[in-house]
Amino acid sequence: MAAVPTNRRAIVLAFFVAFGEFYSISFVLLLELMSSGFLFGYDIGVISGLLVMPDFVQRFGQENPDGSFTLSSSRQSIITSLLSAGTFVGALGQAFTADRFGRRPTILIWAAIFTIGVAIQTATIDSVAQITIGRFIAGLGVGAMSAVVPLYNGETAPKALRGTLLVLYQVQIITGIFLSYVFDLGTHALGGAASWRIPVGLQLVWGAILLSGIFFLPESPRHLLGIGKREEACVVISQLNGVPLDDPLVDELVDELQYAISAENEGGKATWLECFSPVNGLWRRVVNGMMLQFLQQLNGQNFYYYYGDTFFQSAGTQLSPYVIQVILGAVSVVGTIPALWAIERVGRRRLLLIGAAWQAAGLSGHFTLAPANTPINDLTSRNKQGGDVLIAFAVLHVFGFSMFWGPTPWVYLGESFPLRIRPKAIALGSATNWVWNFLLSFFAPKIAADIGPLILLIFCGMLVVAFIYVFFFIPETKGLTLEEVDEMYRSGVKPWNSTSWTPTLGQRAHEKAIAHEIRNEKEKDDS
């Protein structure tokens, strides 16, 4: 009799396993996914507070005739956006290492590169070139891990928890951003270089945690089967399911995976161009992944971070930029928590549709806001009332992003591609995210300075486009294995009918595995 899959280390998931079943997954796997997400988010968020710290401005800014220092907009753009430039290169680069060396060594390589970049930044005295190079190198690691961790997670987690764990990765990203704001708030008043070196240097701690924990991670069983290492895949499957290696369940699961992977890989080894092949709908999947990342960046979330201080000041608030960042960061964290439940109960497609409508509504009331840089004493009562309403809408918009469009595109990206193109396809989606992140970080403040709150209309229009695109092109993948997602695309099911679609590949694989087991038993009896 086959053992029931159990693993006591899975108790770490008990705090959010409200799905009615108990699943086995390695404790260290969960911790590593969380650590890499936290590192990702912290590095993104920490720079915004540094740009207004007096010691940072004095070291890296330009001296004015009166002896004061100013960090020009061009230097701010270079220091800020070079991280995004590095992330673009890293997101594409991980595709080569993930296939050549495996998923686990890839995380190790790029985590080490990230840590080197942080060390270069922390050691900087007053060289803009050095801190910029450090940001770029750290960005290589951030971009690579933004692609390889969802890849690894999607290939390793049970299907019923895959979406939840990918959302948990997003929770840790948002938590990292939020805590970077808290550290900026806590250290900005310190004298000297400690004000900015402490929040920057703390990234060395996060990097060390990730590097040390990687050695306890198993390799992806799907990757092992893809390169012909069945015995090693069996070991990983037994560990993840908490059953003995010789248990029949292990062979059954491995046979099912092997059958499905063989069906996925019928077209042979993929090249970059084959990611856009019409065979099995590959091009549609890759374009969908890239479009969701593009639409995620253009839905208005970043506006509140780049333009938030002016936005709030125009409503008559006296809050400092550090406090505003902490408020928005806290709202983001709170908003991501419900997505842990909703991603598997409500589904990916429905969350995207609801989120597009929710966030568009939150961007529609900008007309009563005063122009940018209006003195507080000149604000009319209508401006203040409109500003108060818009502050509420800003909080609702940030909350909605964190629950709907923040995590869901990453979940979709991690589960939509067959094994042979998965690293390359995820790299293209992740790189799309970082290209637009770079463009927004560089141009959004300048656009906002020219047209003020009217920039919200651009984002509102993009959310309307997002709703239409999701309805006509994005299928539902909730409750499907990675191999069943592949079957759904190959079957040509329409996205609006995908919620009622029933897979057959898993059943066929199960029947074949059972037949194989019966045949083996018969051969033993005959001998």
Side-chain angles (χ1 to χ4, degrees):
M1 179 178 176
V4 177
T6 59
N7 190 331
R8 292 174 182 174
R9 291 176 293 180
I11 199 168
V12 72
L13 297 178
F15 73 98
F16 67 85
V17 178
F19 305 99
E21 295 184 62
F22 193 74
Y23 298 94
S24 59
I25 188 167
S26 171
F27 174 74
V28 71
L29 170 63
L30 175 65
L31 289 184
E32 281 303 287
L33 293 173
M34 292 169 64
S35 298
S36 58
F38 182 86
L39 176 150
F40 175 4
Y42 187 93
D43 191 66
I44 292 173
V46 73
I47 191 63
S48 58
L50 270 56
L51 296 177
V52 293
M53 290 184 179
D55 187 80
F56 190 90
V57 172
Q58 183 174 344
R59 287 173 182 270
F60 304 106
Q62 297 168 304
E63 187 173 2
N64 300 316
D66 61 357
S68 62
F69 288 85
T70 302
L71 195 60
S72 65
S73 59
S74 60
R75 288 199 178 187
Q76 287 188 36
S77 295
I78 291 172
I79 294 173
T80 302
S81 60
L82 256 289
L83 175 78
S84 297
T87 56
F88 171 76
V89 177
L92 293 177
Q94 65 77 33
F96 298 96
T97 57
D99 277 337
R100 182 177 179 84
F101 303 113
R103 285 35 167 170
R104 189 181 73 161
T106 290
I107 298 176
L108 175 64
I109 291 169
W110 293 102
I113 291 174
F114 167 82
T115 305
I116 292 171
V118 172
I120 293 173
Q121 294 177 69
T122 308
T124 304
I125 298 177
D126 56 11
S127 171
V128 175
Q130 181 176 339
I131 197 168
T132 301
I133 291 172
R135 292 275 295 169
F136 179 82
I137 294 174
L140 294 174
V142 171
M145 285 185 287
S146 73
V148 73
V149 171
L151 165 67
Y152 178 84
N153 196 343
E155 291 185 348
T156 308
K159 66 177 182 180
L161 278 181
R162 186 178 64 241
T164 301
L165 288 180
L166 284 167
V167 172
L168 187 61
Y169 178 65
Q170 177 70 16
V171 171
Q172 292 303 312
I173 293 174
I174 298 297
T175 302
I177 294 174
F178 169 62
L179 288 183
S180 73
Y181 293 160
V182 172
F183 281 116
D184 283 348
L185 175 63
T187 64
H188 79 279
L190 297 178
S195 60
W196 61 271
R197 278 208 175 104
I198 290 176
V200 171
L202 278 173
Q203 295 173 96
L204 293 171
V205 178
W206 318 142
I209 293 173
L210 183 61
L211 284 169
S212 61
I214 286 171
F215 295 100
F216 300 96
L217 287 179
E219 182 55 271
S220 160
R222 286 178 170 87
H223 173 71
L224 291 171
L225 287 173
I227 60 176
K229 296 185 177 182
R230 180 185 174 91
E231 292 183 0
E232 294 182 30
C234 289
V235 173
V236 175
I237 291 292
S238 68
Q239 291 175 346
L240 292 177
N241 288 275
V243 297
L245 182 60
D246 58 355
D247 191 273
L249 176 69
V250 175
D251 283 331
E252 180 180 340
L253 292 176
V254 171
D255 285 341
E256 290 180 9
L257 281 178
Q258 187 71 71
Y259 176 85
I261 289 172
S262 298
E264 284 184 354
N265 294 339
E266 288 176 352
K269 185 175 177 61
T271 64
W272 286 96
L273 286 178
E274 288 178 31
C275 290
F276 299 96
S277 168
V279 178
N280 295 334
L282 295 181
W283 74 271
R284 287 190 291 119
R285 304 189 222 186
V286 173
V287 170
N288 280 348
M290 296 172 68
M291 278 296 295
L292 287 181
Q293 295 296 323
F294 162 71
L295 292 168
Q296 183 199 58
Q297 285 295 310
L298 288 180
N299 64 25
Q301 166 75 359
N302 286 332
F303 169 78
Y304 293 109
Y305 291 102
Y306 295 128
Y307 192 58
D309 54 346
T310 305
F311 178 83
F312 277 77
Q313 287 170 1
S314 66
T317 180
Q318 297 294 323
L319 294 175
S320 74
Y322 299 103
V323 175
I324 294 171
Q325 288 172 332
V326 170
I327 292 173
L328 293 180
V331 170
S332 297
V333 172
V334 173
T336 312
I337 301 302
L340 292 168
W341 172 86
I343 196 70
E344 296 297 349
R345 289 297 184 93
V346 180
R348 286 71 156 149
R349 174 181 164 87
R350 192 175 298 173
L351 283 179
L352 291 171
L353 291 171
I354 294 172
W358 175 311
Q359 292 175 247
L363 295 174
S364 59
H366 68 281
F367 295 103
T368 56
L369 189 64
N373 300 318
T374 300
I376 294 177
N377 294 333
D378 294 341
L379 293 174
T380 65
S381 59
R382 180 173 179 270
N383 291 152
K384 293 180 178 179
Q385 291 174 356
D388 291 340
V389 171
L390 281 173
I391 289 173
F393 273 128
V395 171
L396 288 174
H397 183 274
V398 170
F399 182 91
F401 173 86
S402 300
M403 182 173 178
F404 302 113
W405 275 85
T408 309
W410 290 106
V411 173
Y412 186 88
L413 194 65
E415 63 185 13
S416 297
F417 311 109
L419 181 66
R420 67 191 185 94
I421 71 162
R422 193 169 293 143
K424 295 180 177 65
I426 291 178
L428 289 170
S430 184
T432 301
N433 181 285
W434 290 114
V435 165
W436 285 97
N437 183 282
F438 169 79
L439 293 174
L440 283 170
S441 66
F442 196 85
F443 291 110
K446 298 178 183 179
I447 296 174
D450 289 338
I451 65 175
L454 288 174
I455 194 175
L456 295 173
L457 285 183
I458 298 175
F459 299 133
C460 185
M462 291 307 303
L463 284 163
V464 174
V465 172
F467 185 95
I468 295 171
Y469 187 87
V470 170
F471 182 84
F472 286 104
F473 296 104
I474 303 299
E476 180 57 72
T477 57
K478 174 177 71 76
L480 302 177
T481 67
L482 299 184
E483 293 71 34
E484 289 168 346
V485 171
D486 184 71
E487 181 192 359
M488 178 177 63
Y489 270 102
R490 287 189 285 112
S491 68
V493 63
K494 300 299 183 184
W496 51 88
N497 294 327
S498 59
T499 54
S500 59
W501 178 79
T502 302
T504 61
L505 181 63
Q507 180 62 31
R508 294 202 308 270
H510 179 73
E511 291 172 355
K512 184 174 180 179
I514 295 298
H516 178 71
E517 183 177 343
I518 293 174
R519 185 167 59 251
N520 288 341
E521 292 293 335
K522 185 177 180 180
E523 289 175 355
K524 291 180 181 178
D525 293 339
D526 293 341
S527 61

